[in-house]
Amino acid sequence: MLLAVLVLACGSAARAEDGAGRYPQARGFFPEADRFGAFEGEPRAAPAFRGERLLGYLFLTNDVVQIPAYSGRPINSLVGLDLVGRITGVAIVEHEEPILAVGISEERLRVFTDQYVGKSAFDSITVGAPREGYVAVDTISGATITVMVQNATITRAARRVAESRGLRPGSTASAAAQGAQAGAPVTAQGDEAQAGAPQAAPPDTSAAAARPDAVVPAAVEEPLWKQAWRERTGRIALLVLGLLALAGILVFQDWLARQPTLLWYVRRGFLLYTLFFIGWFALAQLSVMHVLTFAHAFMHDFRWENFLIDPMLFILWGFVALTLLLWGRGVYCGWLCPYGALQELGNQVAQRFGVKQLEFPDVVHERLWAVKYLVLIVLFGVSLQSLGEAARYAEVEPFKTTIVMGFQREWPFVLYAAALLGVALFNRKFFCKYLCPLGAALSIPGRFRVFDWWLRRRKECGRPCQTCARECEVRAIRPTGEINANECHYCLDCQVTYYNENKCMPLVERKRRHERASRAREVVHAMESHAGAMGLQEPEERERGERR
């Protein structure tokens, strides 16, 4: 009997420990509480007590709703609710979000979650700009989609728990609250509270509207990705227009290459669009973490909804996938990467001020190409174990610091990103050429492009002409004349040279031959005219002159 009592006592202690004992944050949610029950019921929640008086409930969002974030996994948060459905605290206890693992400080997370304290489980809460009929909370810069998922998770879970426990807005709404205010003893049975009388039945929603403290039943919950697409209609339109413009540039690249001045303005203008709109405004900087997340989802539980929650990234990835098959990796790396655009524009400004460019010897340059593939392999291996850990190693990409967070990070990250940009002033697109794991990942499917009509070459290219090889910004043209499609950034500079009769050696030679022939014809014509004018040319001499 003693053993049985000990087992039951240990079991009860374990059940209590499974409640608030595991989460010290719960004490801050209910400072008056002296004990907490276990997580029980449907949905699971743990009651908080002061003596025999019920104060509210704790619950884990994963026990109520599971909305996948960008990692493909939900964000699990501990939430407190008082007896009138007010949120008393929120704390993230488990997640695999890359942006939260590395990039968002604990202080910024705390400031965000503290915004929910005091808001009702029955409020409609929106993130960012205020909307009519909604309570607004501020977002976290650089983590907009993750914050949207977190907001939907907290609000939907809180409402379900509140409705399941019969909570009502207002100080006298629930039976438990009425009992507590009247001083009647409140005892816990399972998850529910009783106030000197049987627990009130779940509300009759058909009659609820007749009561002042009634709660309107929750509407059918709209998929989060639909909300995200609807709220970003303007940005989506601008992105689609930009991608259509780029598609036109690629289709009519031969005509543009014959208009070098126009192409110069078109390309620089598009790079500015990429940097400021796609990058710093829309925060649509692709990353190797997106590739790893997609691979992870493909191997486990793939669902399109996980990727549709960020419309800008989804559309951009779709366009990149298409161009990989038609033109290869270079379209994204040369035109659509905000960080790549920043490096290229910075290098052009540096050259305008006479900054000397430093290049590695060919043998070193071609060996350094392999570094980014090694980085990709390491990241992929780590991601098989943990996406969160892979996100830490993926900080080799300075994209998050430079583009997504606008240098608003701890100084080691800022120093690293600034150093890479500094190197790019002396060595054009240094990071892209040698270190970028995203570029390495894109080059793999780029090998399977369907067509080979992308960049034009002549038989003299490389043998002996080296003009394009010397001018290539990323040194993707080999001394033998071939373009390395895995390294080409599709800047079209070589195509401008291809059509330039003053730079392309075969065209220069053809032009010279044409000019020599024209001069010879002019000399003959002049001689004939002179002889005819003097009347000295006999028919036989005229015939010989024509032959000459």
Side-chain angles (χ1 to χ4, degrees):
M1 289 181 63
L2 178 60
L3 180 61
V5 170
L6 289 174
V7 169
L8 290 175
C10 291
S12 298
R15 289 168 64 84
E17 183 67 13
D18 287 341
R22 294 175 53 190
Y23 305 103
Q25 303 96 324
R27 299 292 176 184
F29 297 175
F30 296 98
E32 298 180 3
D34 53 24
R35 64 187 180 89
F36 295 87
F39 288 106
E40 295 178 346
E42 182 57 40
R44 283 159 47 88
F49 296 98
R50 178 175 179 82
E52 296 300 317
R53 182 162 64 94
L54 177 65
L55 301 177
Y57 296 93
L58 289 171
F59 64 90
L60 294 167
T61 55
N62 271 9
D63 290 338
V64 187
V65 296
Q66 294 192 11
I67 304 175
Y70 212 86
S71 64
R73 302 291 182 87
I75 301 172
N76 193 16
S77 297
L78 182 71
V79 182
L81 282 181
D82 67 13
L83 295 180
V84 293
R86 285 192 303 263
I87 297 174
T88 61
V90 177
I92 297 174
V93 296
E94 182 183 10
H95 71 85
E96 292 190 16
E97 287 299 280
I99 189 65
L100 300 184
V102 182
I104 305 299
S105 65
E106 291 295 328
E107 177 63 19
R108 293 181 68 188
L109 278 177
R110 185 191 62 77
V111 170
F112 171 74
T113 56
D114 282 352
Q115 296 179 91
Y116 289 88
V117 176
K119 293 180 173 56
S120 172
F122 306 104
D123 287 337
S124 296
I125 301 177
T126 186
V127 175
R131 295 170 55 193
E132 185 177 357
Y134 286 78
V135 177
V137 296
D138 294 332
T139 186
I140 299 178
S141 177
T144 305
I145 297 301
T146 299
V147 166
M148 286 182 60
V149 172
Q150 175 70 339
N151 178 67
T153 299
I154 292 171
T155 54
R156 295 178 185 182
R159 180 156 191 150
R160 290 184 186 180
V161 171
E163 290 177 344
S164 71
R165 267 59 181 182
L167 305 184
R168 295 286 182 273
S171 59
T172 60
S174 69
Q178 291 172 357
Q181 290 181 344
V186 181
T187 58
Q189 292 187 356
D191 282 310
E192 307 297 339
Q194 293 189 350
Q199 175 67 29
D204 179 4
T205 56
S206 62
R211 299 194 304 271
D213 61 349
V215 178
V216 178
V220 177
E221 293 173 347
E222 181 183 41
L224 187 58
W225 69 268
K226 290 186 178 180
Q227 176 187 342
W229 283 68
R230 185 179 62 253
E231 293 180 356
R232 286 163 174 75
T233 304
R235 298 185 185 187
I236 291 172
L238 288 175
L239 178 62
V240 171
L241 287 175
L243 297 179
L244 289 175
L246 179 55
I249 292 170
L250 297 174
V251 171
F252 297 102
Q253 65 183 38
D254 291 325
W255 180 82
L256 278 171
R258 292 184 174 93
Q259 321 293 326
T261 302
L262 176 60
L263 178 58
W264 190 93
Y265 283 107
V266 168
R267 177 159 172 77
R268 273 64 190 178
F270 200 91
L271 290 178
L272 290 172
Y273 162 84
T274 295
L275 176 60
F276 286 96
F277 174 72
I278 295 180
W280 283 330
F281 180 76
L283 304 179
Q285 169 73 64
L286 302 189
S287 165
V288 70
M289 283 306 302
H290 299 134
V291 177
L292 298 178
T293 300
F294 185 87
H296 192 269
F298 188 79
M299 292 186 294
H300 294 85
D301 183 21
F302 182 87
R303 290 186 293 178
W304 282 113
E305 303 93 279
N306 297 351
F307 302 96
L308 285 166
I309 60 173
D310 193 329
M312 304 296 285
L313 289 179
F314 185 84
I315 294 171
L316 194 56
W317 271 117
F319 185 83
V320 171
L322 178 63
T323 56
L324 280 174
L325 297 177
L326 298 178
W327 288 281
R329 160 205 173 183
V331 174
Y332 175 76
C333 295
W335 293 83
L336 290 171
C337 177
Y339 187 77
L342 178 59
Q343 287 185 98
E344 183 168 346
L345 292 170
N347 182 269
Q348 290 173 6
V349 172
Q351 291 192 53
R352 284 291 184 93
F353 284 94
V355 175
K356 184 179 179 181
Q357 299 299 293
L358 305 176
E359 295 290 349
F360 297 104
D362 288 340
V363 64
V364 177
H365 166 71
E366 295 199 357
R367 299 301 185 276
L368 288 176
W369 272 345
V371 175
K372 59 179 173 288
Y373 295 95
L374 296 176
V375 174
L376 175 64
I377 292 171
V378 170
L379 291 175
F380 180 74
V382 174
S383 72
L384 295 177
Q385 177 67 29
S386 168
L387 276 176
E389 191 65 20
R392 300 182 185 276
Y393 288 97
E395 286 296 322
V396 68
E397 293 179 329
F399 305 159
K400 187 187 300 181
T401 300
T402 307
I403 303 298
V404 178
M405 304 189 69
F407 294 99
Q408 301 299 309
R409 297 192 70 183
E410 297 81 0
W411 70 266
F413 295 101
V414 175
L415 182 61
Y416 172 70
L420 286 175
L421 289 175
V423 172
L425 300 178
F426 302 90
N427 188 291
R428 197 168 186 176
K429 303 187 82 169
F430 172 85
F431 177 82
C432 301
K433 289 187 291 189
Y434 305 128
L435 299 177
C436 182
L438 175 61
L442 294 179
S443 69
I444 295 173
R447 292 174 178 270
F448 303 102
R449 66 179 186 276
V450 178
F451 303 103
D452 197 22
W453 37 250
W454 55 308
L455 296 177
R456 300 185 184 278
R457 306 298 287 155
R458 302 184 190 278
K459 63 180 181 180
E460 295 88 353
C461 294
R463 304 180 184 88
C465 184
Q466 296 291 323
T467 302
C468 293
R470 288 194 301 268
E471 294 182 349
C472 180
E473 66 175 33
V474 293
R475 299 175 68 185
I477 301 178
R478 295 191 173 96
T480 52
E482 300 89 353
I483 296 176
N484 186 343
N486 296 329
E487 304 300 329
C488 175
H489 287 195
Y490 222 86
C491 64
L492 299 180
D493 286 352
C494 62
Q495 299 304 283
V496 172
T497 300
Y498 180 90
Y499 290 109
N500 191 330
E501 62 181 11
N502 295 317
K503 292 179 66 175
C504 180
M505 191 188 74
L507 295 185
V508 170
E509 290 297 328
R510 186 186 307 170
K511 180 180 179 181
R512 288 175 179 172
R513 290 194 300 268
H514 178 73
E515 290 175 347
R516 285 196 296 266
S518 297
R519 285 196 297 269
R521 286 193 297 269
E522 291 173 0
V523 169
V524 171
H525 180 71
M527 292 174 63
E528 291 176 350
S529 299
H530 180 71
M534 299 297 294
L536 300 176
Q537 193 175 39
E538 297 296 332
E540 294 82 0
E541 294 176 334
R542 185 180 301 111
E543 184 178 353
R544 288 196 297 270
E546 290 176 353
R547 287 198 296 271
R548 289 196 299 271

